[in-house]
Amino acid sequence: MTAVQPDTVHALTDAIFLFGRTLRAALSHSEVDLLPNALAGVLFLLARTGQCRPSELAAEMHVGQSSLSRQIGELVDRGLVDKHPDPDDKRAHLVTCSSAGLDILGAIRDRRTERLAAQLGDWNEKQLEDALDVLDRLNNALGPIVAAGVGTTNAQRICS
């Protein structure tokens, strides 16, 4: 296999960054009335990681505990997150998505799917499958970085 050229990797890095920004902008507007983007992001990650301590979730998100604590408090107040004492440490607590939280995530996902389907209306099934294949390959290639914990804390590895 031929070595990958640094300029090509640089261009891919830029394209991935821009794609992430474009995707977030294109899809986020469809659910603002359901839940602010920042809260939706916390809820999506919590649903993906499952029950964990807020400190672990903060580490996973690369945010401070105080800002995440405020967001979790708002999600708890809205009935979208359940908060329970940690059975292993009575001073700590665990958070998880409530059934209402999972419902709103489903509604957000449905809206995002509809919006993306409308934007990709001129794509055929093969083109979408090819895009999925490329994204899967990128995730698989970059996955070992996450699994090895490069650039992460122990709390991030626990919550993942």
Side-chain angles (χ1 to χ4, degrees):
M1 186 174 268
T2 310
V4 178
Q5 297 299 310
D7 288 346
T8 307
V9 175
H10 180 78
L12 179 62
T13 301
D14 288 350
I16 291 170
F17 175 77
L18 290 173
F19 174 72
R21 290 187 62 206
T22 302
L23 185 63
R24 278 189 299 278
L27 299 182
S28 67
H29 300 285
S30 63
E31 71 272 348
V32 169
D33 58 323
L34 291 176
L35 196 63
N37 293 333
L39 295 180
V42 172
L43 201 57
F44 271 106
L45 187 58
L46 183 57
R48 182 180 65 82
T49 60
Q51 181 174 274
C52 64
R53 289 183 178 181
S55 59
E56 296 166 344
L57 193 59
E60 178 76 12
M61 296 180 69
H62 301 283
V63 299
Q65 281 186 256
S66 61
S67 65
L68 183 65
S69 178
R70 181 188 54 75
Q71 292 171 321
I72 288 175
E74 190 169 341
L75 289 166
V76 168
D77 291 346
R78 290 174 181 241
L80 304 176
V81 166
D82 292 326
K83 188 174 170 181
H84 304 285
D86 185 340
D88 297 330
D89 182 353
K90 298 298 180 198
R91 299 168 297 162
H93 61 273
L94 300 171
V95 290
T96 189
C97 284
S98 68
S99 60
L102 295 174
D103 289 345
I104 202 163
L105 285 176
I108 290 170
R109 183 175 186 210
D110 290 347
R111 285 186 179 193
R112 288 180 174 182
T113 299
E114 289 172 20
R115 188 173 179 113
L116 188 57
Q119 294 299 315
L120 299 176
D122 62 339
W123 287 44
N124 63 43
E125 192 69 18
K126 172 78 168 97
Q127 290 169 319
L128 287 173
E129 288 172 0
D130 289 346
L132 281 170
D133 287 343
V134 169
L135 291 172
D136 283 343
R137 286 189 67 201
L138 283 168
N139 281 324
N140 289 333
L142 299 175
I145 295 170
V146 176
V150 175
T152 63
T153 65
N154 189 45
Q156 287 171 291
R157 288 188 291 277
I158 292 168
C159 194
S160 296

